[in-house]
Amino acid sequence: MLIYNRFGLIEKVITLNKDVKKYLPRHHLDNFYIEEMLELTEEEIKPILPELLNWTKDMSKAIAQQLIPVLVKNPNALEDTIKKILDDEKKDAIWKYNIIFYVIKGFELENKKNYKETLKRIVTNPNKWEVKYEVSEIAQRVLDEIED
């Protein structure tokens, strides 16, 4: 959070043990805390990242697009959650596509490399929904970026 100090200069105020649940969007137009979430450290925002990632199930919602920078800023904290989703054959293929296209593609190359095995599985052994909704194709594109 940024505030003005007694000299009129902007300072970053660090607060520990924040109640980060208050930052969660309450509805698809609730973008009130986007800027504050961008200021949080990876450790501070980690408890709510899975709930923020849920908004990417439907990228037509306004809040989904606005949360992408928040998600992309926290690649290490998201890694386990994203891998669980991508490895679960019962998870929605459109959601998987959105995660790969909007989130993983936005990561730095070093962070993308952490998904290499998961993406290879999707490319080499996709389920019928991953084929139908082109998850395997977007996974291949990200793999190509990693291997170049």
Side-chain angles (χ1 to χ4, degrees), residues 39-53:
E39 294 293 323
L40 295 173
T41 66
E42 207 163 37
E43 203 55 42
E44 290 171 326
I45 199 168
K46 189 174 185 171
I48 63 170
L49 283 174
E51 292 172 77
L52 296 177
L53 192 61

Side-chain angles (χ1 to χ4, degrees), residues 62-77:
I63 190 67
Q65 291 284 342
Q66 294 171 335
L67 285 172
I68 296 302
V70 175
L71 296 169
V72 168
K73 182 181 176 276
N74 297 284
N76 298 319

Side-chain angles (χ1 to χ4, degrees), residues 18-53:
K18 292 182 180 184
D19 178 22
V20 293
K21 292 275 187 193
K22 74 178 184 181
Y23 297 129
L24 287 171
R26 290 173 172 60
H27 53 79
H28 68 97
L29 297 174
D30 183 9
N31 64 356
F32 190 77
Y33 290 113
I34 297 290
E35 293 301 317
E36 287 85 347
M37 285 189 282
L38 285 167
E39 294 293 323
L40 295 173
T41 66
E42 207 163 37
E43 203 55 42
E44 290 171 326
I45 199 168
K46 189 174 185 171
I48 63 170
L49 283 174
E51 292 172 77
L52 296 177
L53 192 61

Side-chain angles (χ1 to χ4, degrees), residues 28-123:
H28 68 97
L29 297 174
D30 183 9
N31 64 356
F32 190 77
Y33 290 113
I34 297 290
E35 293 301 317
E36 287 85 347
M37 285 189 282
L38 285 167
E39 294 293 323
L40 295 173
T41 66
E42 207 163 37
E43 203 55 42
E44 290 171 326
I45 199 168
K46 189 174 185 171
I48 63 170
L49 283 174
E51 292 172 77
L52 296 177
L53 192 61
N54 270 328
W55 285 101
T56 63
K57 287 180 178 178
D58 183 355
M59 292 305 293
S60 69
K61 302 287 186 200
I63 190 67
Q65 291 284 342
Q66 294 171 335
L67 285 172
I68 296 302
V70 175
L71 296 169
V72 168
K73 182 181 176 276
N74 297 284
N76 298 319
L78 276 170
E79 186 175 340
D80 291 339
T81 303
I82 289 176
K83 284 181 177 179
K84 283 178 192 169
I85 294 165
L86 296 179
D87 289 336
D88 187 342
E89 289 192 17
K90 294 180 181 176
K91 294 292 183 193
D92 179 21
I94 295 171
W95 189 22
K96 290 179 182 184
Y97 182 96
N98 291 343
I99 289 171
I100 296 168
F101 185 80
Y102 293 99
V103 182
I104 296 175
K105 271 184 77 66
F107 289 160
E108 296 290 327
L109 180 60
E110 288 307 309
N111 296 107
K112 288 179 190 177
K113 289 179 180 179
N114 296 336
Y115 297 93
K116 189 172 183 174
E117 294 307 313
T118 301
L119 295 171
K120 277 186 181 180
R121 194 276 314 154
I122 292 171
V123 170

